[in-house]
Amino acid sequence: MLARRLPGILPPLSFSEALEVTKIHSVAGLLRDRGTLVSQRPFRSPHHSASGPSLVGGGSYPKPGEISLAHRGVLFLDELTEVQRNVLEFLRQPLEDGFVTITRTRQSVRFPAQFTLVASTNPCPCGYYGDPIQPCTCSPRQRNQYWARLSGPLMDRIDLQVAVNRLKPEEIVRQSMGEDSKTVRERVLHGRKRSRDRFANESIQCNAEMQSRHLRQWCPLDETSQQLLEGAIRKLGLSARATDRILKVARTIADLAGEDAIQSHHIAEAVQYRTIDRMQ
């Protein structure tokens, strides 16, 4: 449900983005009405048994796969640990570069693949690790083997890693209303506007696309924030890539709060979103 709500809080497609998405869906033969632009951000949810070619694309005459069909939208992978590891590794290049290259004997095709990856999985084979009510029946070895299906380089590329806990009885029965998508979307639009203004003279549009030089320019840290981040790197064994992604998330948190400078509490919150790193 959370994954399906995500397109509803994202900014609307710009004309250039709609044109990109329409071209991809046209090549794949998925356009319902010719001559019309795709106006909604895509949401793709392939089954966990999907093969590499169906995810990446392929064929004698290469066509885009699920990751390109999710361009400018959301790719949702349920039961992530059930997806074959070699298939998951295909995600590494597009998550880093924003495109996928398919090479055949006579030709090489590059499809755009800038998507938001959303994935879900159980915390262990039995599904109850960390549950306050139902005890976990898995051994430490079984849990380690379970998480070993996800490689370190792939996990480095997932910015937000959050454990969703069991709802309390009163939360289920009373069903109190949270924020609606419209309210959240207004906050997202405000944050995106700040990033667009920041990168007005750059070739990028949002914080996720920042490279090292952008991080040095737009993510300076004070002494307290530096010490906090250094401690997290030591404790969690974070790679340089994971550290860069923490900075990008912290920059986004500050934008959503309407603050120009990244503060120590922004860094602390970004680090807290790497739950899986802390579980290992």
Side-chain angles (χ1 to χ4, degrees):
M1 185 193 70
L2 292 174
R4 291 188 178 276
R5 296 301 181 271
L6 188 55
I9 68 172
L10 292 174
L13 288 171
S14 65
F15 177 76
S16 60
E17 290 176 332
L19 196 59
E20 293 173 3
V21 175
T22 301
K23 288 179 180 179
I24 296 172
H25 284 242
S26 177
V27 170
L30 297 179
L31 280 185
R32 295 181 179 178
D33 300 313
R34 291 187 176 183
T36 60
L37 288 175
V38 175
S39 59
Q40 301 293 326
R41 290 191 180 272
F43 180 88
R44 306 294 299 184
S45 180
H47 192 263
H48 61 76
S49 62
S51 64
S54 68
L55 197 65
V56 179
S60 301
Y61 298 94
K63 288 188 176 183
E66 292 290 342
I67 60 176
S68 293
L69 293 173
H71 180 62
R72 301 298 184 186
V74 175
L75 175 68
F76 177 51
L77 297 180
D78 196 10
E79 302 293 346
L80 184 66
T81 49
E82 299 301 324
V83 182
Q84 294 183 26
R85 177 163 177 160
N86 65 313
V87 174
L88 288 177
E89 294 305 296
F90 287 128
L91 293 170
R92 288 166 56 176
Q93 181 202 4
L95 284 174
E96 191 73 21
D97 302 327
F99 63 84
V100 60
T101 302
I102 302 174
T103 303
R104 293 293 179 265
T105 304
R106 297 183 179 180
Q107 62 180 325
S108 179
V109 180
R110 175 184 290 187
F111 291 121
Q114 289 184 313
F115 56 89
T116 299
L117 173 66
V118 181
S120 65
T121 189
N122 288 319
C124 66
C126 78
Y128 292 109
Y129 181 62
D131 188 271
I133 299 176
Q134 184 73 29
C136 174
T137 60
C138 304
S139 67
R141 181 180 180 182
Q142 288 176 315
R143 288 195 294 268
N144 290 335
Q145 290 177 337
Y146 181 78
W147 284 107
R149 302 174 189 178
L150 307 178
S151 70
L154 176 62
M155 294 303 296
D156 275 352
R157 290 167 169 83
I158 299 179
D159 297 348
L160 310 180
Q161 306 168 9
V162 181
V164 181
N165 299 320
R166 177 195 291 267
L167 289 175
K168 299 177 182 178
E170 58 270 24
E171 292 174 326
I172 298 175
V173 174
R174 298 177 185 177
Q175 297 182 344
S176 58
M177 296 296 294
E179 290 183 304
D180 57 24
S181 294
K182 181 180 179 181
T183 303
V184 178
R185 191 184 203 193
E186 290 176 355
R187 192 159 61 246
V188 171
L189 290 174
H190 175 72
R192 279 295 184 94
K193 183 181 183 305
R194 290 178 65 89
S195 64
R196 284 198 307 271
D197 293 343
R198 179 183 304 120
F199 304 129
N201 298 321
E202 301 283 353
S203 59
I204 61 177
Q205 299 181 16
C206 62
N207 297 332
E209 299 174 7
M210 286 193 292
Q211 302 298 321
S212 296
R213 64 183 181 88
H214 301 120
L215 293 174
R216 289 193 297 270
Q217 180 178 359
W218 299 110
C219 300
L221 302 180
D222 58 26
E223 184 64 26
T224 302
S225 299
Q226 289 181 5
Q227 292 178 359
L228 181 61
L229 184 56
E230 289 173 2
I233 294 172
R234 293 191 187 95
K235 184 176 181 179
L236 302 179
L238 298 175
S239 66
R241 179 183 290 111
T243 303
D244 285 350
R245 289 179 175 267
I246 286 177
L247 288 174
K248 295 177 185 180
V249 172
R251 177 67 269 172
T252 300
I253 294 171
D255 285 344
L256 291 173
E259 300 183 22
D260 294 328
I262 296 177
Q263 304 294 331
S264 58
H265 61 274
H266 300 142
I267 293 292
E269 183 176 347
V271 170
Q272 287 298 311
Y273 289 140
R274 301 201 69 91
T275 304
I276 308 303
D277 288 326
R278 299 200 306 275
M279 289 174 60
Q280 301 307 305

